[in-house]
Amino acid sequence: MSSDKTTVAVIGLGIMGSPMAVNLVKAGYDVVGYNRSKAKTEALVAQGGRAAESVADAVSAADVVVTMLPDSPDVEAVVLGEEGIVANARPRSLWIDASTIRPDVSVRLAELAGRRAIRAVDAPVSGGEAGAIEASLSIMVGGSADDVEAARPVLDAVGSTVVHVGPAGAGQTVKAANQLIVAGTIELVAEALVFLDAHGVDAEAAVKVLAGGLAGNRILDRKAAGMIAREFAPGFRVDLHHKDLGIVTSAAREAGVAIPLGAVVAQLMGALRARGHGSLDHSALRLLVDELSGRN
Ligand code: NAD
């Protein structure tokens, strides 16, 4: 570790965490990474980062800790466990949770971290693997104004749109809304592609013109080519979007909000997963539409 650099610990070096950690190295931070399966630290180390042996090892000398883990229980374990962040991070250090988790869990963990003088910011991201690699993520940030300002240089190194949306947990609420829109849009694009196919229309030509009009959207731009070719390497796994739609439906229910289309898409995502496709990209919703239409 070099003493003049800010040390950032990154816990969870998967599809998103690994390129984010690499971009932090490129931005000049001293980055120490930890992942449960050790091989995933390789990309970070190749770029000049360091690999830690445990969460405690990673966070004990860090100024900033970034978590990028799958789900609420994973974040709870890494934050509250004996070897975890609350027990081992330095007082006044900043914990940025970039994972997508339940807003209520986020609020509770921020409160528990605060009791140990660890400053917590929830900063879930959107933009997918490509956005993580390009450091162009859209980041929805919850926390106190001071803590969010302290987190901003780190967030600017991995994202291009960083917006403070409210107090602790608010970032996760905005992310849940994001996942509702993304899932619904993928389903509509999938239905459109199967519809075009059934009518014998060239899907690539159709997407080109659709993308230029009011139907244009990022799913068409980024996912349609793979959906046409039926290539569904993740990207964003069906398992994770299923988790997120669970967050959306329960948070909507708690708020007394009806999300009829969201509820249908949540069922479709669950069915895709139940059919054994949990590790495919979420754009594999197309497979289900093919199947429902007798076209596979
Ligand atoms: P991933 O499964 O590829 O990565 C998660 C990593 O965490 C894995 O490498 C896993 O080994 C590691 N891990 C799990 N438990 C651990 C523990 N206790 N200690 C250390 N490491 C542990 O998932 P991902 O796609 O990178 O997503 C991470 C988070 O970001 C999720 O909450 C997801 O919903 C969100 N997200 C993903 C995308 C995307 O496109 N992939 C986009 C936006 C947000």
Side-chain angles (χ1 to χ4, degrees):
M1 177 182 64
S2 57
S3 55
D4 55 334
K5 285 187 178 181
T6 299
T7 296
V8 183
V10 181
I11 313 296
L13 299 167
I15 288 175
M16 299 296 283
S18 179
M20 288 166 73
V22 165
N23 284 327
L24 290 168
V25 174
K26 289 182 183 161
Y29 290 101
D30 169 45
V31 181
V32 52
Y34 173 72
N35 195 83
R36 208 169 40 188
S37 26
K38 292 281 161 15
K40 297 204 179 168
T41 55
E42 277 167 14
L44 172 62
V45 172
Q47 292 291 323
R50 297 180 289 125
E53 288 303 312
S54 64
V55 175
D57 179 28
V59 306
S60 56
D63 304 294
V64 180
V65 178
V66 176
T67 40
M68 196 45 166
L69 298 160
D71 200 352
S72 305
D74 307 302
V75 177
E76 277 178 317
V78 163
V79 172
L80 301 179
E82 259 177 48
E83 293 290 307
I85 294 169
V86 164
N88 293 283
R90 301 201 302 218
R92 298 296 299 151
S93 59
L94 186 65
W95 164 48
I96 301 172
D97 185 25
S99 330
T100 302
I101 64 169
R102 295 174 54 103
D104 57 328
V105 173
S106 188
V107 170
R108 183 166 53 81
L109 292 179
E111 147 80 15
L112 292 171
R115 288 189 203 164
R116 288 289 303 266
I118 294 165
R119 300 177 291 160
V121 163
D122 51 299
V125 308
S126 178
E129 184 182 19
I133 292 168
E134 295 159 7
S136 63
L137 294 167
S138 198
I139 310 182
M140 26 230 117
V141 195
S144 76
D146 285 354
D147 293 348
V148 172
E149 275 322 295
R152 199 170 281 276
V154 169
L155 298 175
D156 283 340
V158 296
S160 50
T161 306
V162 178
V163 181
H164 182 196
V165 293
Q172 296 296 351
T173 302
V174 176
K175 174 67 186 184
N178 184 84
Q179 294 307 80
L180 174 62
I181 295 169
V182 171
T185 308
I186 291 177
E187 175 60 21
L188 286 177
V189 169
E191 292 180 13
L193 290 177
V194 176
F195 169 83
L196 289 163
D197 227 22
H199 283 280
V201 173
D202 175 30
E204 276 170 33
V207 164
K208 203 168 171 187
V209 66
L210 289 172
L214 193 56
N217 65 74
R218 293 284 176 85
I219 302 300
L220 273 181
D221 298 344
R222 291 205 158 185
K223 299 273 183 191
M227 292 167 82
I228 291 168
R230 291 191 176 76
E231 281 169 6
F232 301 117
F236 187 64
R237 288 185 287 117
V238 167
D239 280 340
L240 289 174
H241 213 143
H242 174 70
K243 171 230 2 163
D244 293 350
L245 291 169
I247 293 172
V248 174
T249 42
S250 74
R253 188 185 156 93
E254 280 154 26
V257 173
I259 50 161
L261 294 182
V264 170
V265 179
Q267 290 290 313
L268 293 170
M269 197 70 78
L272 185 62
R273 182 171 184 260
R275 299 189 76 78
H277 297 312
S279 58
L280 296 185
D281 189 71
H282 51 172
S283 58
L285 273 173
R286 186 201 164 136
L287 291 179
L288 202 60
V289 180
D290 277 328
E291 205 170 305
L292 291 171
S293 310
R295 299 187 61 79
N296 48 343

